Amino acid sequence: FTAGAYPTTVYCLESKSNEGLDIKTISKFTLLQNNSVTLPQGTKLFLASGDVVIDGTTHTGPKQIKLSTAEKQLTATSNSYGFLFP
């Protein structure tokens, strides 16, 4: 289906495929171009689209990003969207 002007694909999985993850704990991530946010250590981000810079390295979605060593500042070089996992 289409959500607004963006084509969207929806996947449905049975609950046992979620490996104990409560879907209600997933939150959306939006960071608009030229904005920054600091995320805490342990953050798991699925960057669905867009580009963010972390420690001088550009990450382009789709990409999984885990901040395992310390909190990090992310700066969007394009409008960036994704999901934050607990």
Side-chain angles (χ1 to χ4, degrees):
F1 71 91
T2 301
Y6 302 100
T8 303
T9 302
V10 176
Y11 297 93
C12 297
L13 300 174
E14 57 185 313
S15 59
K16 68 181 178 182
S17 298
N18 292 336
E19 299 179 6
L21 176 67
D22 182 354
I23 194 107
K24 296 174 194 158
T25 62
I26 299 170
S27 58
K28 69 178 181 175
F29 173 82
T30 302
L31 190 60
L32 300 181
Q33 185 174 10
N34 299 322
N35 285 285
S36 297
V37 65
T38 299
L39 297 177
Q41 178 181 355
T43 297
K44 292 181 269 183
L45 168 65
F46 174 69
L47 182 63
S49 66
D51 304 282
V52 296
V53 176
I54 305 170
D55 290 340
T57 300
T58 299
H59 301 269
T60 300
K63 184 172 189 175
Q64 294 179 359
I65 299 169
K66 182 174 182 184
L67 306 179
S68 55
T69 58
E71 71 176 20
K72 299 287 182 177
Q73 182 175 5
L74 284 68
T75 302
T77 56
S78 66
N79 291 341
S80 300
Y81 305 96
F83 297 99
L84 293 167
F85 291 82

